[in-house]
Amino acid sequence: MSKVDVLLGLQWGDEGKGKIVDVLTPEYDVIARFQGGPNAGHTIEFGGIKHVLHIIPSGIFHEHKMNVIGNGVLVEPYIFQQEVQALASKGVNATKNLYLSKKAHLILPSHRMLDAANEQAKGNAKIGSTLKGIGPAYTDKIARSGLRIGDIMASDFRERYELLKCQHLQTAHTLKFDLAAFRIDNMTLEEYEQKWLASLETLKKFELINSEYFINKCLDEGKKVLAEGAQGSMLDIDFGSYPFVTSSNTVTAGVCSGLGVAPSRIGRVMGIIKAYCTRVGAGPFPTELFDETGRLLCEIGHEYGATTGRSRRCGWIDIPALRYACMLDGVTDFFVTKSDVMNDFDEIKMCTAYQIDGKITDQLPFEFNTVEIKPQYVSFKGWKQSLAGISKYDDLPQNLRDYVSAIEQVTGVNVRAVSISPDRKDVIFK
Ligand code: GDP
Ligand code: IMO
Ligand code: MG
C-alpha cells in the first residue's frame, strides 16, 4: 500500500511548482490537483516551448501517466476547454489521461462577475484577486448552493444554473456593480455565458469519476500518487495573511479533504521555495524590496504573473514565514528554484527574524497585516557566476551551496534539488 506524496509552494505562490511536478512525474503513476482552480498558473518549459497550465495537473505532458482533478478543485469549463485546446495544438490529447472528480465545483460566469463586484466594493482594501471567480465559487460550495461537475449530466442542470445566476445578479445589484460595463475576455456576461454553456460539452468528453475511490484504489494497488498544490502556504485561507489570501486550504491538510485521502496516507511533503520571495496581489510582505535590488529580481526573474500578467512584488527570502509553512505542512524536503536569478548579485540577504515593537521574534503575529515588521537580516556573499551547464550539485559555486546549507540549517529541512533555469532539464539533485 503506498502513500500520497505532496508537492506544494511554501511562499506566496509561483515558486516553480509546475516545473518540479513535471520533472518528478516519471517517478509517479498519478498526478492529482487537490485545491485552487484557474487562479493558478503553472509554467513548464522544455524543447524551447513554454506551457502554462491553470486547472490541468502538471503531469499531463507524460502521456502514460494519469492526471486527476480532485474534488477540492474549482473548474471553470471555458478556461478548461481553452487549456485542453492549447494542449491539443501541441499534440497532447488530454482526454486520454485526465480524469475529473464529479464532486469538483464549477465556476460560473456569474462567479467571475461577483469576484469583480466584491473587489470593487472593497475599494482600497481589495485583495488583488486573479478575478477567476475563486472566492465566490468556494463561498457557494460552503453555503451548500454550488454546482458540481457531476451535476452537468442532470436533467434539471439548467434550472439550477439559472437559479444560482439569479442570486448572483441580485448580489451584484446590491453591491451597485456596473454590469453593463463588465467584460470577461472582452465579452459581456451574456456573450461569455454562451461560450461557457457550450464548453460544458468539452467537459462531457472526459471521464468523470469519484476521485476519492480512484485515488485510494491506486494507493491500495501500490501505485504512486503525487498531489500537486496550487498557490502557496502563505495564501492559505486559515493560516495566510487573512483576508489577503485565496479561498482554499493550500497546506498539506488540503490534500486530505481535496482528494479524500486519510492523514495516515500522506507520505513525503516536498516544499518548493524560490531562492528569494515574490508576492502578487495585496497583503503584507515583510521582506519586500522597493529598491534597485527588488527591481532587478523582478526583471531578471521575469516576475510577471502566469495567469494575470501582473508584475510580482519581490524581496529576500523570509525564514520566519518559511518555518511557519514547514510547521503547517510537515515538509520533508525542499526544492530551491530560481537561484540563477541572483547570479550577478554581490550580496544576498536572508531574513532570519522579525523585529516587532522593539522585540525580536520568529513567529508571525495575528496582527501580521497591521504591525510594522522590521526584518532582521544576515548576509551571504553572491557567487557571481553563471550556473548554465552545471549538472552536478558539487559543481555549484561554493557560495550558492553555503546559502542553500544555511536554509537547511535554519529550517531543519534538507534540500533535495536546486533548479537553475526554467527548463525541465535544469534541476540539479543533491
Ligand atoms: P508555479 O505557479 O509555482 O508553478 O510557478 P510559475 O510558473 O507561476 O512561476 C515560476 C516561473 O519561474 C515560471 O516562469 C518558470 O518557468 C520559472 N522558473 C522555474 N524554475 C526556475 C529556475 O530555476 N530559474 C529560472 N530562472 N526560472 C525558473
Ligand atoms: P500559483 O498556483 C500567486 C493570489 C492573488 C491574490 C490572492 C487571491 O500559480 O502559485 P484569488 O484569485 O485566489 O481570489 O486571489 O491570491 N494568488 C496567487 N498568487 N500564485 C498563484 O497561484 C495564485 N493564486 C492566487 O494574486 O493576491
Ligand atoms: Mg504560478
Side-chain angles (χ1 to χ4, degrees):
M1 191 175 83
S2 21
K3 295 194 170 191
V4 179
D5 285 350
V6 181
L7 183 150
L8 22 86
L10 302 184
Q11 295 159 325
W12 281 277
D14 305 327
E15 297 88 351
K17 298 175 289 294
K19 174 187 167 162
I20 304 296
V21 169
D22 171 61
V23 167
L24 293 180
T25 295
E27 295 177 21
Y28 291 89
D29 300 295
V30 181
I31 311 299
R33 279 277 305 268
F34 59 92
Q35 48 69 236
N39 50 348
H42 295 178
T43 314
I44 295 161
E45 285 192 39
F46 55 87
I49 304 171
K50 179 173 162 175
H51 312 266
V52 181
L53 297 166
H54 301 286
I55 308 172
I56 296 176
S58 300
I60 199 70
F61 295 102
H62 300 256
E63 63 175 321
H64 301 296
K65 305 294 176 172
M66 295 178 274
N67 289 269
V68 173
I69 294 179
N71 58 280
V73 177
L74 296 178
V75 175
E76 208 278 28
Y78 185 63
I79 297 180
F80 175 76
Q81 176 178 279
Q82 285 177 313
E83 257 186 271
V84 169
Q85 287 168 350
L87 286 169
S89 74
K90 287 165 182 154
V92 178
N93 178 2
T95 51
K96 282 202 221 152
N97 60 338
L98 174 64
Y99 313 101
L100 294 95
S101 166
K102 290 182 193 171
K103 294 191 176 72
H105 277 245
L106 292 171
I107 298 180
L108 275 49
S110 49
H111 282 131
R112 297 186 62 177
M113 171 201 65
L114 275 187
D115 220 354
N118 289 338
E119 283 284 73
Q120 188 181 292
K122 284 192 165 100
N124 286 341
K126 71 174 186 207
I127 312 292
S129 163
T130 61
L131 301 178
K132 302 296 177 195
I134 301 295
Y138 276 128
T139 301
D140 275 340
K141 173 177 176 173
I142 300 303
R144 298 163 291 186
S145 32
L147 288 169
R148 299 181 292 175
I149 288 187
D151 296 330
I152 63 176
M153 302 300 187
S155 56
D156 64 347
F157 175 76
R158 194 58 196 266
E159 282 159 50
R160 290 162 67 189
Y161 168 86
E162 294 295 336
L163 193 67
L164 192 54
K165 183 179 89 179
C166 258
Q167 289 171 11
H168 295 161
L169 288 170
Q170 275 169 15
T171 310
H173 181 72
T174 313
L175 291 170
K176 298 194 171 56
F177 184 66
D178 183 0
L179 189 56
F182 176 65
R183 295 288 180 277
I184 305 176
D185 298 351
N186 291 321
M187 287 176 258
T188 63
L189 188 63
E190 288 74 25
E191 287 164 350
Y192 189 79
E193 181 180 54
Q194 293 312 310
K195 302 262 183 201
W196 188 94
L197 288 167
S199 68
L200 294 175
E201 297 310 312
T202 299
L203 266 186
K204 289 178 188 165
K205 289 186 193 143
F206 284 79
E207 203 171 328
L208 308 181
I209 61 170
N210 288 313
S211 61
E212 63 279 31
Y213 279 116
F214 180 93
I215 298 276
N216 281 287
K217 183 163 177 283
C218 285
L219 294 174
D220 290 343
E221 290 168 352
K223 292 202 172 74
K224 295 195 72 189
V225 179
L226 178 65
E228 171 182 1
Q231 290 79 58
S233 299
M234 298 307 292
L235 288 170
D236 182 89
I237 183 73
D238 281 282
F239 302 106
S241 46
Y242 191 91
F244 302 104
V245 292
T246 191
S247 299
S248 65
N249 280 119
T250 58
V251 295
T252 302
V255 177
C256 298
S257 56
L259 289 179
V261 292
S264 57
R265 296 197 107 167
I266 300 290
R268 283 169 85 160
V269 179
M270 293 169 274
I272 314 303
I273 52 176
K274 263 182 203 169
Y276 49 97
C277 243
T278 62
R279 176 166 199 167
V280 56
F285 181 4
T287 60
E288 183 169 10
L289 293 168
F290 300 94
D291 58 5
E292 178 62 8
T293 308
R295 199 193 61 76
L296 284 173
L297 284 171
C298 183
E299 190 186 301
I300 304 169
H302 303 291
E303 296 294 356
Y304 299 94
T307 297
T308 59
R310 292 179 292 175
S311 77
R312 297 174 183 146
R313 302 153 65 190
C314 297
W316 299 119
I317 198 163
D318 181 334
I319 298 298
L322 188 53
R323 286 169 53 131
Y324 185 58
C326 289
M327 173 184 83
L328 299 169
D329 291 317
V331 176
T332 55
D333 28 27
F334 285 145
F335 284 77
V336 180
T337 62
K338 303 194 89 161
S339 37
D340 55 294
V341 171
M342 300 193 288
N343 282 351
D344 293 325
F345 285 25
D346 294 320
E347 183 190 32
I348 288 156
K349 290 190 184 180
M350 171 189 282
C351 164
T352 52
Y354 300 150
Q355 191 191 84
I356 302 172
D357 289 336
K359 292 196 190 81
I360 303 291
T361 177
D362 71 345
Q363 297 210 351
L364 278 65
F366 176 77
E367 302 81 5
F368 198 57
N369 299 344
T370 49
V371 288
E372 194 196 343
I373 296 175
K374 289 190 185 145
Q376 305 296 296
Y377 289 112
V378 292
S379 274
F380 293 82
K381 277 206 182 100
W383 40 94
K384 306 280 283 178
Q385 68 167 81
S386 164
L387 306 177
I390 297 180
S391 57
K392 287 200 203 85
Y393 193 82
D394 289 340
D395 292 341
L396 287 172
Q398 184 65 45
N399 288 354
L400 171 53
R401 282 183 286 141
D402 286 348
Y403 179 63
V404 169
S405 300
I407 296 173
E408 293 180 315
Q409 212 191 337
V410 292
T411 54
V413 175
N414 286 328
V415 170
R416 192 170 155 211
V418 174
S419 164
I420 57 162
S421 97
D423 197 276
R424 185 191 256 179
K425 67 179 173 5
D426 284 324
V427 177
I428 303 176
F429 285 83
K430 245 182 161 181

